Amino acid sequence: MTAADQPVDDRPSPGRTAGEQTRRPPGTLVLLRNGQSEADDGQVFAGLLDPHLTEVGIAEAAAAATMLTAHGVQVDLLVTSPLARAARTAEVVARTLAVPREAVLTDDRLLPRGLGCLTGLAKRRALERYGHDAYLEWRYAVDGRPPSATVAQAAGWPWRPPAELVDDAALVAGESLRDVIGRVEPVWTQIVRPALAAGRGVLVVAHGDSLRAFRAVVEGLTGESLADGSVTPAQPLLYATGGDGNVVGPAQYVEDLGRPPEAEPGG
């Protein structure tokens, strides 16, 4: 099911009547970056390529789900990128948290950032080839955009994504963080924030740069503060929200919340 198939802003949470829905407190937002992928294992820039999770990545996704369960985090809506490393992470978490299939949406606006000429390169090799200044500009500046990949570079790429998800033009092109902010913003305004305002718990599963962009939208990050927007892989990041669905207070990693109550000595 895609996000376009079924709007969520006026749909009651699974298992709840509309009347019960209106009495719920504001929802909780969780962001989760995919677990270790085959590209991560080799320290390779994946960009829009489609490597799968490693066994380590699957275990990381399971650990994230266990953490959410232990802390009583409720997920009524799960929105995920369609690429394998995010979709598999989402699948593992959804199974553990018993998220019903109809409450899982796939949205290609959460695809990772197109990395152009960096795609498929080992990170150390990219630094050597393009130099420190260009590397940092392309990777971290809000308007830094890697040049497009050449035909020769693209010919050697592994893990090519399905053509219906990413066409060749998008695959070779570079995107800036600002570009990604522009495409993830409607996911927040059209899907996630209305669900939070309706009292639902929402989990967004995506990638490093698409979650960095999502945080920029959710928290209103600009300028140098964008550097603080990275999300640690496979570590659930939790936000409290207000009645309008907007986040309140700083985000917290679930692992930093301390022991869940049932784990306290004498409990």
Side-chain angles (χ1 to χ4, degrees), residues 107-128:
D107 197 313
D108 60 10
R109 292 171 293 189
L110 293 173
L111 283 167
R113 180 181 169 202
L115 292 177
C117 65
L118 297 177
T119 304
L121 271 182
K123 295 179 180 180
R124 180 178 296 179
R125 178 104 180 258
L127 186 58
E128 293 170 352

Side-chain angles (χ1 to χ4, degrees), residues 13-251:
S13 296
R16 294 181 176 84
T17 66
E20 289 171 331
Q21 180 72 32
T22 59
R23 293 194 296 272
R24 290 187 65 189
T28 299
L29 172 63
V30 181
L31 305 185
L32 181 62
R33 184 173 170 181
N34 62 264
Q36 185 193 71
S37 72
E38 296 164 318
D40 296 325
D41 188 42
Q43 288 294 295
V44 170
F45 283 118
L48 289 167
L49 298 177
D50 198 20
H52 285 251
L53 291 185
T54 63
E55 290 300 317
V56 170
I58 293 170
E60 288 175 335
T66 299
M67 221 182 298
L68 291 169
T69 300
H71 284 275
V73 177
Q74 179 175 296
V75 175
D76 302 302
L77 174 67
L78 193 161
V79 189
T80 181
S81 159
L83 290 189
R85 57 197 188 271
R88 181 72 170 116
T89 300
E91 177 188 346
V92 171
V93 174
R95 183 172 62 245
T96 302
L97 272 64
V99 180
R101 183 173 299 180
E102 63 270 18
V104 178
L105 302 180
T106 299
D107 197 313
D108 60 10
R109 292 171 293 189
L110 293 173
L111 283 167
R113 180 181 169 202
L115 292 177
C117 65
L118 297 177
T119 304
L121 271 182
K123 295 179 180 180
R124 180 178 296 179
R125 178 104 180 258
L127 186 58
E128 293 170 352
R129 178 177 294 185
Y130 296 110
H132 185 266
D133 291 346
Y135 182 92
L136 291 182
E137 172 73 14
W138 296 343
R139 289 294 296 125
Y140 301 111
V142 67
D143 291 307
R145 180 184 288 109
S148 295
T150 65
V151 172
Q153 286 174 317
W157 284 341
W159 313 310
R160 294 183 76 91
E164 64 270 21
L165 288 182
V166 184
D167 62 28
D168 286 344
L171 192 57
V172 301
E175 288 183 289
S176 69
L177 184 64
R178 194 180 302 279
D179 294 331
V180 184
I181 289 171
R183 64 172 161 85
V184 303
E185 185 170 16
V187 181
W188 167 246
T189 58
Q190 297 170 6
I191 298 172
V192 175
R193 188 172 64 194
L196 294 167
R200 296 179 205 167
V202 182
L203 171 62
V204 177
V205 182
H207 314 274
D209 280 332
S210 53
L211 285 180
R212 186 176 165 217
F214 199 80
R215 288 194 73 180
V217 172
V218 168
E219 299 183 33
L221 300 178
T222 58
E224 292 183 2
S225 63
L226 285 167
D228 299 325
S230 294
V231 175
T232 303
Q235 291 295 327
L237 185 67
L238 186 72
Y239 292 89
T241 68
D244 58 0
N246 287 314
V247 301
V248 293

